[in-house]
Structures are given as structure tokens and as C-alpha cells.
Amino acid sequence: MTVRFAGQRGAVFWLALKTGFWSVLTLGFYRFWMKTRLRRYFWGSIRPGGHPMEYVGDPWEKLLGFFIAVVILTFYIGVVNLLLMFISFSVFDGNVAGYFLSFLGVIPLWFYARYRARRYVLGRTRWRGVRFGLEPGAWGYAWRACAHWLVTVCTLGILWPRMTFYLEKYRTDRTFFGSAKLLQGGRWTMLYRPARLLIAVLVGWVAWIAWIGFLDPMGQVVALFVDAMAQEFL
């Protein structure tokens, strides 16, 4: 099936400029309408088999979702964060542990929100009158994302392609179009070739940190030697 994009860069530019201006003028509230209008343009310009896709999202739904997120964050900051700070000062006699635990607590919520956002977009996407969808599984995605990120950080980014592959597979295998389910094939090692530049940058960064760590003790030795020689001749 041939997929064609019928949009024009000039039209996208002026639409983004106009809606962005109104978003700034309304202190960000118009951004829900901006995202809706941009998605409708992009979806309508993508035409698999010559038939345009359709986005039927409502900006009022996004605004309501924003207020719900604000309520959840207010509860988290006002109640959970306060308890974490109390425990931190009581046990560790400081606020560092509280801030650290508070940050860790936000990470699963972030991944949960990302999965829910994708489910919302797919649920309001149509092609030839048939709806896309995503099965429930936000918490499953959240704990898998946390585990994969932990492994990726411990391996200094070397397993980044593995994390990307399996997280995308989790979402793709739960996506459906009408009554048909999507299935992601392939192997995670296939991503190493397109990610070779990223891996090279990560390896270079680790090598630079290691080199700096090596030079610092050497610099201290040289400084002590110079100081000893100066004391000897003074």
C-alpha cells in the first residue's frame, strides 16, 4: 500500500505560527486547540492508499485532562511530597532524601501519562471510518519503562536500542485497527545500526569522563611535586 503525504510546508508553517501566537497570547490555554488543529491537518494529509486519515479529538477533552493532571499533581505535591519531606527530615536529618524519593515517584507517573496519551490519540484516529485503539496497560508500561531505563543507565546507554524496541513492542502489540491487532516483529539488535551515532557519542562521553577522572589524580601528583620542589629551593 502506498502512503502519500499531501500537506504543504507553507500551510503548516502559517498554521503553527498562527496557533502558536494565540497560545502565547492566552498564556498557554489555546495550545489544546493548537494541537488539535495541527493534528487534524497532519492526519488529513497522510493518505494510505489514497484515503486520508482523520483525527476527531476535541480540545475541550484535552483541557479537562489538563485540569485532572493538575489535581493529581497538586495532591502529590501537597500530600505525598509533604510526607516524604517529613520522613526525610526525621530519619536523615535533611531534605536530600525527600527530594530524591519525590523525583523517583514522579517517573512512573510520567510513563503512565505517556501511555494514556497515546491511547487517547489512537482512540480518536480514523481511517476509512475505522477506529484505531490501544488496550489498557498503562501501569504495565510504566513499570516496564522504569526497569528498562534502569538497565539502560546501568549499561551506560549501550542497551538503549533494546529498551526502545521492547517498549515500542509493548504498545504496538496492544494496538488495534477495527478488529485487527497490530504485531511488531523484528529483533532489538536491528536497531544498533541506525543508533551507531548515538552509541558512539555515549562511548565518547564515558571515555571523556574516565579521562578527566584519570587526569585529576595525575594533576594532584604533579602539583604536590612542584610544591615540594619549591619548598626545597626556597
Side-chain angles (χ1 to χ4, degrees), residues 46-130:
I46 300 174
R47 301 180 177 180
H51 299 277
M53 300 186 69
E54 182 182 6
Y55 179 73
V56 295
D58 189 349
W60 290 103
E61 293 177 338
K62 296 182 180 63
L63 182 61
L64 178 61
F66 170 75
F67 286 133
I68 294 175
V70 168
V71 171
I72 294 175
L73 287 177
T74 301
F75 172 80
Y76 182 83
I77 296 175
V79 178
V80 178
N81 201 38
L82 182 62
L83 291 175
L84 292 176
M85 287 299 172
F86 175 77
I87 295 174
S88 178
F89 278 104
S90 300
V91 178
F92 301 101
D93 196 23
N95 59 359
V96 176
Y99 282 123
F100 180 72
L101 293 176
S102 179
F103 173 75
L104 291 182
V106 172
I107 294 177
L109 296 178
W110 168 257
F111 291 124
Y112 176 89
R114 289 191 61 185
Y115 188 92
R116 294 282 299 181
R118 180 157 177 169
R119 189 182 182 195
Y120 171 84
V121 172
L122 287 174
R124 283 145 184 84
T125 300
R126 307 283 192 273
W127 184 61
R128 304 187 68 176
V130 182

Side-chain angles (χ1 to χ4, degrees), residues 161 191-202:
L191 296 179
Y192 271 109
R193 182 175 178 82
R196 58 184 182 274
L197 179 60
L198 174 62
I199 295 175
V201 171
L202 290 175

